[in-house]
Amino acid sequence: MKPPEPLGANPIADELEKQLHYPLGDTLPAPGSAVTVAPGVKWLRMGLPFALNHINLWLLRDEIDGRPGWSVVDCCISSEPAKAQWEQVFEHELDGLPILRVLVTHMHPDHIGLAHWLCERWQARLWISATDHGMARIGSQGPNGFSSEAAANFFALHGLTDPASLEKIRGRGSYFSTLVPAVPRQYRRLQDGDVLSIGTRDWRCISGYGHAPEHIALYCDELQVLIGGDMMLPRISTNVSVYDQEPESNPLKQFLESIDKFRGLPAQTLTLPAHGKPFTGLHARIGQLHDHHAERLLEVMQACLETPRSAAELLPLLFKRALDLHQTTFAMGESIAHLHALWFEGRLQRRLGDDGVYRFGASAGV
């Protein structure tokens, strides 16, 4: 996922953004406070210590078993600043009512990091897809969860052979578990098509793939509001990566097929993204994302027709700005994802070189 750029830094993104509408203008929730975006729906915004420096969280007015309260959608990373902001929310935004359940769109740290803390504090149940629950539980186990050695070896296989970078990747074994130190053992499973009664309204689960194992977005037809998580973001493009756990996956195809599920929603749907501002123009944004990846695929295809390329060799083509190590790992995953999309279509073939690096070149007849 690319970090947001200041206006004027990317004229193409500026022009595309004009096709969207931000009904709240420049309004942003202050730390620890909320902005009402629809009846019974509050917007929270918490800081992140990354280039992508914030996440949007949502409070939904709820009632379970006759008990009034709130449902939380997404949680932020586990950190003391995030906990402090939540404490302010508890004091000022809940109207004296409890949190009844914690809904998590997917297993990435900024979305699930504080789920265990919220669930324990309020004796609330975690609601999440089974796939993402399982992956988050594995990752929270520390270095024995997601293997940094395997990640380094995987990136080396795709051309990232700089010893200093690989050593830094190997040293990130506790990255996930630092941000997600625990995941509730018990949970309620969310699946595509499930309809949740949240307060007086129904919200339908829409599954998505390619960004996370089994991302769940929520749509309320009565409000015409979509909580899109990371599947539908304005301005920036969602990270779509191949990871060492599933080294021969095709996530870009999965992602593009997933966002097409939103085409059936009303054109005036208010989309609540995990990053950026609430917007309308959902159908236009779906088209923009398809166009963006089609352009990247064309660039990758043309480069590989000239000479077989590794994913690392394509980074300067796909990412024009300097990348830190954190961004490089995402960029490598995205580069591999675009190569795999063309490989699975039969337009590129993969060869393992004598140097132990995969390179992708034109298939016979292309």
Side-chain angles (χ1 to χ4, degrees):
M1 185 182 300
K2 301 174 185 176
E5 299 166 308
L7 289 175
N10 187 333
I12 295 176
D14 293 346
E15 191 61 32
L16 291 175
E17 198 164 26
K18 292 178 183 178
Q19 300 177 24
L20 309 180
H21 175 61
Y22 297 96
L24 298 173
D26 293 328
T27 299
L28 296 175
S33 66
V35 170
T36 297
V37 296
V41 181
K42 291 186 175 185
W43 172 22
L44 309 173
R45 183 178 170 104
M46 294 190 180
L48 295 172
F50 314 123
L52 187 60
N53 61 8
H54 71 278
I55 181 171
N56 299 324
L57 315 172
W58 313 97
L59 292 173
L60 307 180
R61 191 70 168 78
D62 204 356
E63 182 176 316
I64 297 179
D65 298 330
R67 185 182 178 210
W70 298 88
S71 282
V72 169
V73 182
D74 290 337
C75 307
C76 200
I77 61 171
S78 181
S79 70
E80 293 308 314
K83 289 179 182 179
Q85 289 188 61
W86 271 116
E87 293 290 353
Q88 295 179 55
V89 171
F90 301 156
E91 183 175 355
H92 300 293
E93 298 294 344
L94 300 186
D95 303 325
L97 298 173
I99 289 174
L100 302 176
R101 59 181 148 189
V102 177
L103 296 153
V104 170
T105 58
H106 62 294
M107 50 75 67
H108 292 160
D110 49 335
H111 296 261
I112 200 173
L114 279 177
H116 72 290
W117 180 75
L118 288 168
C119 289
E120 288 181 1
R121 183 182 179 91
W122 294 98
Q123 293 301 293
R125 177 75 70 228
L126 171 66
W127 296 54
I128 187 174
S129 70
T131 315
D132 279 57
H133 179 262
M135 289 297 290
R137 289 272 293 176
I138 292 171
S140 67
Q141 303 304 308
N144 294 324
F146 296 151
S147 169
S148 57
E149 181 68 27
N153 292 340
F154 178 65
F155 287 140
L157 193 63
H158 284 277
L160 187 67
T161 56
D162 170 55
S165 296
L166 293 176
E167 188 60 30
K168 289 178 181 177
I169 293 172
R170 291 188 178 98
R172 285 160 51 98
S174 297
Y175 172 77
F176 189 93
S177 60
T178 298
L179 303 177
V180 189
V183 173
R185 184 181 65 84
Q186 295 182 320
Y187 72 104
R188 179 76 174 263
R189 183 176 185 177
L190 297 178
Q191 299 181 85
D192 186 64
D194 284 352
V195 176
L196 310 183
S197 294
I198 300 177
T200 61
R201 298 181 176 89
D202 289 340
W203 293 77
R204 176 165 56 92
C205 295
I206 304 174
S207 62
Y209 304 91
H211 173 68
E214 190 180 1
H215 183 293
I216 298 293
L218 297 168
Y219 174 69
C220 177
D221 190 54
E222 180 181 341
L223 297 175
Q224 294 192 346
V225 167
L226 171 69
I227 299 178
D230 277 347
M231 291 299 292
M232 188 53 52
L233 305 176
R235 191 169 179 87
I236 62 174
S237 57
T238 300
N239 177 255
V240 179
S241 285
V242 179
Y243 296 101
D244 65 277
Q245 298 98 329
E246 194 179 354
E248 295 179 336
S249 60
N250 191 4
L252 183 55
K253 179 176 184 290
Q254 292 177 323
F255 175 76
L256 294 175
E257 291 176 348
S258 294
I259 62 174
D260 280 342
K261 291 183 179 181
F262 300 134
R263 289 188 188 274
L265 303 184
Q268 64 270 26
T269 295
L270 176 64
T271 300
L272 308 182
H275 309 281
K277 296 181 292 186
F279 69 95
T280 57
L282 175 62
H283 295 174
R285 186 57 181 150
I286 294 169
Q288 290 175 5
L289 290 170
H290 273 280
D291 291 344
H292 166 78
H293 287 292
E295 291 169 3
R296 300 292 82 74
L297 287 168
L298 180 59
E299 290 177 337
V300 169
M301 188 68 192
Q302 289 175 336
C304 292
L305 287 176
E306 293 173 1
T307 185
R309 313 265 183 162
S310 71
E313 290 167 338
L314 289 171
L315 293 186
L317 175 69
L318 295 174
F319 301 90
K320 309 303 183 186
R321 292 179 290 163
L323 303 172
D324 61 24
L325 180 68
H326 182 71
Q327 294 165 340
T328 296
T329 59
F330 285 122
M332 280 293 298
E334 286 225 10
S335 182
I336 300 167
H338 284 79
L339 286 166
H340 276 200
L342 296 167
W343 177 42
F344 275 89
E345 288 180 1
R347 298 166 67 188
L348 293 180
Q349 63 181 355
R350 188 182 74 174
R351 300 288 188 187
L352 184 64
D354 294 338
D355 57 356
V357 172
Y358 280 130
R359 290 181 176 84
F360 296 76
S363 296
V366 175

